[in-house]
Amino acid sequence: MTEQAMDWQELTSLTRGQPFVVERVRLTSNGVAIEGEFEPPQLAQLSVEDQVFVTAFVRCHGSIKEMERIFGVSYPTIKSRLNRITQMLDFVETDPAPSRADIIDRLRRGEITAQQALAELEGRP
């Protein structure tokens, strides 16, 4: 029996929006299988329609005008849907904590006090 790969959209349709975990991952290049409990990526947890919408948004480089043309809806409709999808996604922090060297350099330059440097090194705001 040959197995055919299932894509995320098919999996999302089968689960009908119910939360799920992936328990086995197989690397196709070498057949190694990893078992455990893996949460699917956030985008894979969206409905199929929302996945298509996000894909279209990325492909048209975030152009709402282009999205209006593709989906045949108004600007407020596109914005509303983007806002709804945004609420479903966790924000990914892109500003990592400063390194120890950065903190010490800022202290040497007099940009922060010794107390501020200690607080940052200890992970306090």
Side-chain angles (χ1 to χ4, degrees), residues 19-56:
F20 65 92
V21 295
V22 175
E23 293 184 339
R24 186 168 190 266
V25 175
R26 186 174 52 85
L27 305 174
T28 57
S29 62
N30 59 14
V32 171
I34 304 164
E35 294 194 15
E37 204 169 282
F38 310 99
E39 203 173 298
Q42 286 187 52
L43 294 174
Q45 295 177 40
L46 296 175
S47 70
V48 173
E49 294 80 18
D50 286 344
Q51 288 179 34
V52 169
F53 186 84
V54 169
T55 301

Side-chain angles (χ1 to χ4, degrees), residues 6-16 43-44 46-53 55:
M6 178 186 298
D7 68 11
W8 282 113
Q9 290 181 351
E10 206 173 342
L11 182 59
T12 303
S13 291
L14 286 172
T15 59
R16 298 179 187 201
L43 294 174
L46 296 175
S47 70
V48 173
E49 294 80 18
D50 286 344
Q51 288 179 34
V52 169
F53 186 84
T55 301

Side-chain angles (χ1 to χ4, degrees), residues 77-96:
T77 303
I78 298 294
K79 286 295 285 184
S80 174
R81 189 156 182 193
L82 283 171
N83 288 335
R84 184 180 55 74
I85 292 170
T86 300
Q87 298 289 319
M88 296 162 45
L89 301 174
D90 293 331
F91 179 73
V92 176
E93 185 61 53
T94 58
D95 188 18

